[in-house]
Amino acid sequence: MRQLTKLTLILMALASALTSCHKGTSWGNERSEAEVVRLKTVSDSVDVQSPHARAMVDSALVNAKDSLTYYDYLIELGHLYILEQPDSVLNVCDRLIHFGKSQPSSPRTNGLLAEAYNLRANYFHLYHINHDKALEANRAAYQLFAESDMSHNVPSICANIGDMYIQKSLLPEAAAWYRRALVISDSLNLPKEENYSFYMGLGGIYCQLEDFDLSENYYAKAKEGFNDMQANMKLTYLNNYGNLQYYKKDFAKALSVFLCLDSLIKSYRLEGGFEDCLCHLNMADVYLNLGKNKESMKCLEPADSFFRANNVGDCIYYANTIRIGNILKTGNVSQISSILANEPAGLTTDENMIDIRNRYLHDYYASTGNKQRADYYEKLNLTRKDSIDKSREFMRSSDIMMRLAMDTLALHNQLRMKEKDAEMEHNRLLFVLIAGGILLMALVLLALYLYQNKKRKESEIEIANLKIDNTRNIISPHFTFNVLQHALSGIPQDSQKTINSVIKLMHDGINASNQKHTTLREELEFTRQYIEVATATMGNSFTYHIHIPKGELQDTRRIPSTFIQILAENAIKHGLRGLDRPKELTIEVGFTDDATTIHVIDNGNGFDIRNRSKDNSTGTGLRVIRNTMALHNKIHHEKINYDIENIEDEKGNIIGCKSTLVIPASFGK
């Protein structure tokens, strides 16, 4: 029974490990808000095991803009491998650890290393490969998370270390780490929902120590959050709580709990899976102890078939134990020797499951008159009981010492606070007098400074106005337009048309630059003028298209001025100009109730920020977009989003570039 609880906990702990190190992560100032959102989207897909998760991770790895971001996504690949390709997990961990140790120490690199060690520990723990190595890796993760920007994961790592000690049958140490998880969770002010799994862990530990009252107490605390638990946590709680009633020998209550679990599994449509078969295996043992052999075997048979088909050794061992118990009830004990002879060695190492088997074997050998073997198993049962009693006494002593230490620390802190209060009271009056004098002097100096500053500013404003007036007269746009218009006389008609287009474009550009936002129709018309002028320099192989749904939204949706023109200019300048093949520019606009989406697509050579200097780009256009976005997103809840990505063919060759703007429908209103 107990090992089956652990099997469920291992699966649930894995799901928890996949999520606990991602949700709510604070990444410092090294990653933009868009990158944080993108990483969270990928990690959420991995957590829920989405069928698209692998494709999302692979795409993120290919498009990562720096090494730290690349290794963030490599962690997500490791989380996929731990379920799909376990043999590849350690290679991913080694790469992460080698990279992390080669970087300067920082909260973010510490978090990266902690994730790697946590992944390594989950691999060793989940596949029962080496519990000592799993414990060592979890201890490393514990230290690194505490010194990272992901310190909220420390309580979960404490619980993982507690699970390691449970596997090693060191229950006092396991309980100490679970209690530490609760203390750290409280000190970090984490949501109390985080504590439910820790209460469940302590309930399970005290159940193994047969301290059933304390175990009930911890399960009662966990039950307070049952309605808020996720599905996997609810299943784990009911399974473990049913086990507690089993060990208390309250088999009627244990049955009611497992029936409730069975109903919940059906509501989640998990029939025939691991959780369903585990529940029925537990119910088979409960029915056996209630003397209902027919019901016991009815639950046992399908569960036994499932676990044998999936080669789950612990469950096969437990199913054989229940079968032995049923045979003892019916009296045909000759079948037991056949079960024992055909059972492979080493199916389980769990002491509690072995204890259940040993009790049945004692009854079996006693019924066959083999007193020597019966006495042997009786002695094993007594030795196990003595061990549990000693561990329970040790736990009680540890609890007393911990409470004493906490009370002593609290008293010491109270005394220190009283001493500090007395010292503060003694110095408060002196501080007030000194502060008052300094404040008075500061006010006098401030008044003098403000008076002089006012005079200086008045002079500066007057000088600036003179300079502005002078500059305005020199570079007046109307003066510039008049000169260009005058220059039109005497030149060919085609050139006059081009210059007129340039003049109109300059005039509209100045008007647009003086506006914070404009309608979509006005912006597209301005962009169209720019493209028409640029067409003269692009050759006959250049074409462009603007696709926009018909309707009034062109006149009601507003966007930042010149945004589309900047993206079109970048596409022509950096992607299309100079190509010796047909060149195509496409602008696509789409509407939803919440946003306006604009795609600017070209079939050029793609975007590479590292080679931007080769075309003498100053980056002014994109800097205008980024700065405008940053100012808007800082003060508005609904954000402007911008993304740029290369377009690839089936062979991975770059065949163009796509820029995407998402403008909230409320923008400009």
Side-chain angles (χ1 to χ4, degrees):
M1 177 79 72
R2 179 56 50 200
Q3 180 66 13
L4 302 186
T5 301
K6 288 184 183 177
L7 288 171
T8 304
L9 282 174
I10 288 172
L11 294 178
M12 302 312 177
L14 176 61
S16 176
L18 293 178
T19 59
S20 66
C21 297
H22 303 88
K23 303 296 185 281
T25 300
S26 173
W27 299 102
N29 57 6
E30 297 178 332
R31 185 184 289 108
S32 69
E33 183 178 350
E35 289 171 327
V36 172
V37 172
R38 192 175 299 117
L39 177 59
K40 186 177 184 302
T41 300
V42 174
S43 65
D44 286 347
S45 178
V46 172
D47 293 344
V48 301
Q49 301 178 40
S50 165
H52 307 295
R54 181 59 186 270
M56 293 177 67
V57 171
D58 289 341
S59 175
L61 287 169
V62 170
N63 295 297
K65 297 181 180 179
D66 58 68
S67 295
L68 281 170
T69 302
Y70 176 88
Y71 281 94
D72 282 335
Y73 289 115
L74 191 62
I75 289 172
E76 303 304 329
L77 183 62
H79 289 151
L80 288 174
Y81 279 164
I82 205 165
L83 292 175
E84 300 172 357
Q85 298 174 227
D87 293 339
S88 302
V89 172
L90 290 184
N91 179 52
V92 171
C93 292
D94 290 341
R95 290 177 60 191
L96 286 163
I97 293 171
H98 180 267
F99 170 78
K101 288 184 175 180
S102 69
Q103 302 300 306
S105 179
S106 70
R108 182 174 174 186
T109 56
N110 286 344
L112 188 72
L113 278 168
E115 290 259 35
Y117 281 112
N118 184 44
L119 183 62
R120 181 182 178 89
N122 287 333
Y123 169 76
F124 284 124
H125 178 43
L126 179 63
Y127 296 103
H128 299 276
I129 294 174
N130 191 316
H131 295 308
D132 290 330
K133 286 188 176 181
L135 181 59
E136 179 184 355
N138 263 325
R139 283 184 173 275
Y142 170 77
Q143 295 293 337
L144 287 162
F145 272 135
E147 299 170 3
S148 75
D149 54 358
M150 304 166 70
S151 59
H152 62 277
N153 288 318
V154 173
S156 295
I157 297 299
C158 290
N160 289 348
I161 294 174
D163 289 339
M164 299 298 101
Y165 280 116
I166 292 175
Q167 291 288 332
K168 295 165 68 68
S169 297
L170 297 173
L171 300 181
E173 290 83 352
W177 278 97
Y178 266 102
R179 285 195 294 268
R180 182 179 298 188
L182 287 170
V183 171
I184 295 175
S185 179
D186 289 341
S187 67
L188 293 175
N189 293 321
L190 297 179
K192 67 178 183 179
E193 290 79 7
E194 301 281 340
N195 295 338
Y196 298 145
S197 62
F198 306 147
Y199 290 135
M200 288 166 57
L202 285 167
I205 291 171
Y206 282 103
C207 177
Q208 291 192 57
L209 291 170
E210 297 184 5
D211 191 339
F212 299 130
D213 290 339
L214 197 51
S215 180
E216 282 277 11
N217 181 51
Y218 280 117
Y219 278 119
K221 291 182 178 180
K223 187 179 180 181
E224 293 175 3
F226 184 83
N227 292 333
D228 298 325
M229 292 179 185
Q230 295 182 352
N232 58 351
M233 287 288 288
K234 289 182 178 180
L235 298 177
T236 302
Y237 172 84
L238 291 174
N239 183 80
N240 293 2
Y241 189 61
N243 286 339
L244 170 62
Q245 305 309 318
Y246 171 89
Y247 282 108
K248 289 175 64 176
K249 301 188 185 303
D250 190 346
F251 300 116
K253 187 171 182 180
L255 179 61
S256 68
V257 175
F258 285 124
L259 288 173
C260 180
L261 174 60
D262 183 52
S263 176
L264 190 62
I265 289 172
K266 286 183 173 62
S267 70
Y268 292 143
R269 298 182 179 179
L270 299 174
E271 298 97 322
F274 181 89
E275 296 85 355
D276 186 38
C277 293
L278 175 60
C279 175
H280 281 83
L281 200 57
N282 285 333
M283 289 171 64
D285 198 1
V286 173
Y287 277 126
L288 171 61
N289 283 274
L290 288 171
K292 299 181 179 182
N293 298 79
K294 183 177 179 181
E295 291 84 349
S296 176
M297 293 303 296
K298 183 178 179 180
C299 290
L300 176 63
E301 295 299 344
D304 188 20
S305 299
F306 173 86
F307 292 124
R308 290 183 188 277
N310 290 276
N311 197 30
V312 183
D314 298 291
C315 297
I316 296 171
Y317 181 91
Y318 188 35
N320 283 342
T321 299
I322 298 171
R323 197 177 299 278
I324 290 171
N326 275 288
I327 292 172
L328 286 171
K329 295 280 188 179
T330 59
N332 191 9
V333 295
S334 60
Q335 299 176 13
I336 295 178
S337 59
S338 176
I339 293 174
L340 296 175
N342 294 322
E343 183 179 71
L347 286 177
T348 187
T349 58
D350 182 78
E351 295 179 358
N352 292 297
M353 291 187 65
I354 295 172
D355 286 343
I356 298 172
R357 170 73 66 86
N358 288 346
R359 289 198 296 272
Y360 287 129
L361 290 179
H362 170 268
D363 295 342
Y364 164 62
Y365 286 114
S367 68
T368 59
N370 191 338
K371 186 175 185 305
Q372 183 179 2
R373 295 295 292 172
D375 291 343
Y376 168 75
Y377 284 107
E378 178 69 20
K379 184 177 179 180
L380 286 180
N381 291 332
L382 291 174
T383 301
R384 172 65 173 161
K385 186 177 185 305
D386 289 341
S387 175
I388 291 176
D389 290 341
K390 290 179 181 179
S391 295
R392 186 163 58 245
E393 290 302 320
F394 181 80
M395 288 283 289
R396 288 171 180 168
S397 299
S398 298
D399 285 343
I400 292 172
M401 293 301 295
M402 176 171 283
R403 293 190 186 101
L404 180 60
M406 293 177 65
D407 291 343
T408 303
L409 180 62
L411 180 59
H412 181 66
N413 288 337
Q414 289 178 5
L415 292 174
R416 289 185 60 190
M417 288 299 296
K418 289 182 178 179
E419 291 176 359
K420 289 292 185 182
D421 289 343
E423 184 179 350
M424 289 294 293
E425 187 66 29
H426 181 268
N427 294 327
R428 187 173 291 116
L429 180 59
L430 180 61
F431 173 79
V432 170
L433 293 175
I434 295 175
I438 294 174
L439 180 60
L440 180 60
M441 185 179 297
L443 289 173
V444 173
L445 292 175
L446 179 62
L448 180 61
Y449 168 78
L450 291 175
Y451 176 76
Q452 293 177 344
N453 189 61
K454 179 183 177 183
K455 291 294 184 182
R456 185 175 65 254
K457 291 295 182 183
E458 289 175 351
S459 299
E460 291 176 353
I461 291 172
E462 185 176 355
I463 294 172
N465 286 333
L466 291 174
K467 290 181 178 180
I468 291 172
D469 290 341
N470 186 44
T471 302
R472 185 180 293 118
N473 289 331
I474 294 174
I475 61 170
S476 167
H478 295 290
F479 172 77
T480 303
F481 297 149
N482 289 336
V483 171
L484 288 173
Q485 290 282 2
H486 182 71
L488 286 176
S489 59
I491 65 174
Q493 189 67 27
D494 290 344
S495 298
Q496 287 187 19
K497 181 179 179 182
T498 301
I499 294 176
N500 275 323
S501 298
V502 172
I503 292 173
K504 187 175 189 309
L505 182 64
M506 290 175 61
H507 186 274
D508 291 345
I510 290 173
N511 290 337
S513 64
N514 289 328
Q515 301 177 30
K516 293 181 180 178
H517 47 78
T518 183
T519 66
L520 181 62
R521 185 185 298 279
E522 292 171 341
E523 175 67 10
L524 287 174
E525 180 59 32
F526 175 58
T527 303
R528 192 192 305 274
Q529 292 178 33
Y530 165 75
I531 297 174
E532 289 290 344
V533 171
T535 299
T537 67
M538 297 297 290
N540 295 331
S541 64
F542 172 73
T543 58
Y544 76 92
H545 312 277
I546 298 178
H547 303 299
I548 181 171
K550 295 181 179 180
E552 300 179 355
L553 288 179
Q554 296 185 54
D555 297 309
T556 58
R557 291 288 174 93
R558 304 191 71 83
I559 66 171
S561 298
T562 73
F563 265 33
I564 302 180
Q565 184 272 328
I566 289 173
L567 296 180
E569 181 180 354
N570 279 348
I572 292 173
K573 180 178 179 181
H574 304 304
L576 299 176
R577 182 163 290 156
L579 289 182
D580 56 358
R581 62 174 186 268
K583 301 174 282 290
E584 184 175 357
L585 176 67
T586 302
I587 299 174
E588 298 178 349
V589 180
F591 300 115
T592 66
D593 292 341
D594 300 323
T596 302
T597 302
I598 302 118
H599 300 294
V600 179
I601 308 167
D602 65 72
N603 66 338
N605 291 325
F607 174 78
D608 187 350
I609 193 171
R610 296 171 297 182
N611 296 330
R612 192 177 64 182
S613 60
K614 292 184 179 180
D615 51 20
N616 298 319
S617 172
T618 63
T620 302
L622 291 180
R623 188 163 59 250
V624 167
I625 291 178
R626 284 194 296 268
N627 291 345
T628 304
M629 284 176 53
L631 181 60
H632 176 275
N633 292 348
K634 183 177 180 181
I635 59 177
H636 291 87
H637 176 69
E638 295 178 322
K639 311 298 184 185
I640 299 175
N641 288 302
Y642 168 69
D643 193 20
I644 182 170
E645 59 180 336
N646 288 327
I647 304 171
E648 299 179 353
D649 61 16
E650 295 179 352
K651 297 181 180 179
N653 299 317
I654 296 176
I655 58 173
C657 184
K658 178 180 180 180
S659 296
T660 302
L661 273 171
V662 181
I663 312 295
S666 61
F667 181 84
K669 298 180 181 180

